[in-house]
Amino acid sequence: GFGSILENGSTMVGDVIDGVSNKVDDIGDVIDTKFAQGDYVEGSFDIAGDVIEGGFNVVGDMGKGTLNLVGDLSTDVANFGGGVLRDLGEFTGLETPFNGVASFVEGTGEVVDTVAEFGGDAVGWVADGLGTVSEGVVDLAGDAAQGVTDVAVATGEAISDGVDAGVNWVKSWF
C-alpha cells in the first residue's frame, strides 16, 4: 500500500522532472542556434512547440503514474484480502475453500493491475504521440513563417539598396 504510493509517486515525479529538464535543454538549444543565427520567428515557434510537447509529456507521465498506482494498490489490497481469507480458513479449519476464494481475490487484483498498467501505458503513448505531432506542426509553421520573414527582409533590403543606388546616381549628376 504505502510502498506502492511511494514507489509510483517517486517514479511519476522523476518522469515529470526528466521530461521538463529535457524540454528546458531543447529550449536552450533553440536559443543557442536559432536565436544566435537571427532566426527569431522560427526560434519562437520552436520554443512554443517544445512547450506544447512538454505539456503533453507531463500529462502522459502523470496519467500513466496514476493508473499504475491504482493497479498496484489493487494488487496490494487484493493480496491483503487474500491473506486474511487464508488466515481465516486456517483458523476455522476450512483451508481449502478459503484458499480457493483467496486465490480468486488475489487473481482479480492482478487483473485490475494489468488493465490499469495497460491503460497507463496507453495514456502515456497517446500523450507522447500528440505532443510529438503538435511540436512538429508548430515547428513546420515556424519554418514557413521564418521563410516568409527572410524573403520580406531580403526584398526590403533589395528595394532599399536600389533606392540608395538611384539616389546616389542622381546625386552624381549634380
Side-chain angles (χ1 to χ4, degrees), residues 30-113:
V30 169
I31 291 168
D32 292 343
T33 57
K34 303 293 182 178
F35 280 80
Q37 297 168 359
D39 294 334
Y40 302 112
V41 174
E42 184 177 357
S44 297
F45 275 84
D46 286 355
I47 289 173
D50 288 335
V51 170
I52 291 168
E53 182 182 27
F56 276 112
N57 289 347
V58 166
V59 168
D61 290 341
M62 292 181 71
K64 180 178 180 177
T66 300
L67 288 171
N68 285 343
L69 174 61
V70 167
D72 288 351
L73 287 175
S74 296
T75 298
D76 293 345
V77 169
N79 287 342
F80 174 76
V84 169
L85 288 170
R86 288 179 201 286
D87 290 345
L88 187 58
E90 187 178 321
F91 178 74
T92 62
L94 300 170
E95 289 181 47
T96 303
F98 275 92
N99 283 344
V101 173
S103 293
F104 176 77
V105 168
E106 292 163 351
T108 301
E110 289 295 323
V111 168
V112 170
D113 182 31

Side-chain angles (χ1 to χ4, degrees), residues 144-169:
Q146 185 65 52
V148 168
T149 302
D150 291 347
V151 167
V153 168
T155 302
E157 288 173 351
I159 291 171
S160 175
D161 291 347
V163 169
D164 284 345
V167 167
N168 288 335
W169 181 77

